[in-house]
Amino acid sequence: QVQLVESGGGLVQAGGSLRLSCAASGRTFGGYIMGWFRQAPGKEREFVGRIIWSGGSPYYADSVAGRFTISRDKSKNTVYLQMNSLKPEDTAVYYCAAASYGSYPTYDFWGQGTQVTVSS
């Protein structure tokens, strides 16, 4: 059974940084794309970025490019979202998700989310 567990959320002041983690288990993810999404209150879920588990450069939404960085540690089966220069508009619940090559851009598995709140 695939599980994605996010952690690392919290309250931070504008301009600060947070690093989110997504611990993946239940299968090997060599044929998967790992994505980060977020959803703010009253808004639709928004794509943040994604990384191919087996290699390659990450891809980011314009709203976070240059501030956020996605990486993965294969030995720990964990994907990270480093968030710098945070803004109040980054406040949201952040989700990690996994998509097989066959189902992408539909994501097959989702984590439970972690809250990020950026105060002004």
Side-chain angles (χ1 to χ4, degrees):
Q1 181 180 355
V2 173
Q3 275 197 316
L4 303 175
V5 180
E6 303 95 335
S7 61
L11 174 64
V12 64
Q13 289 189 330
S17 298
L18 278 176
R19 188 179 79 158
L20 306 184
S21 300
C22 172
S25 63
R27 68 179 308 132
T28 57
F29 289 89
Y32 277 76
I33 297 164
M34 307 300 290
W36 284 98
F37 293 79
R38 66 186 182 185
Q39 187 165 21
K43 295 188 177 181
E44 293 188 354
R45 186 170 59 201
E46 175 188 17
F47 170 76
V48 172
R50 56 98 170 131
I51 189 167
I52 300 172
W53 186 268
S54 59
S57 299
Y59 174 80
Y60 303 97
D62 289 344
S63 57
V64 306
R67 300 188 298 123
F68 290 12
T69 302
I70 297 174
S71 61
R72 73 223 174 297
D73 184 334
K74 294 180 182 179
S75 67
K76 296 182 179 179
N77 247 27
T78 299
V79 179
Y80 302 98
L81 179 66
Q82 177 67 44
M83 306 185 294
N84 298 329
S85 302
L86 282 161
K87 306 175 182 179
E89 51 263 43
D90 294 319
T91 294
V93 177
Y94 283 71
Y95 299 91
C96 140
S100 66
Y101 291 163
S103 62
Y104 184 83
T106 299
Y107 284 77
D108 306 293
F109 307 104
W110 292 83
Q112 83 289 348
T114 186
Q115 176 71 47
V116 171
T117 303
V118 184
S119 63
S120 57

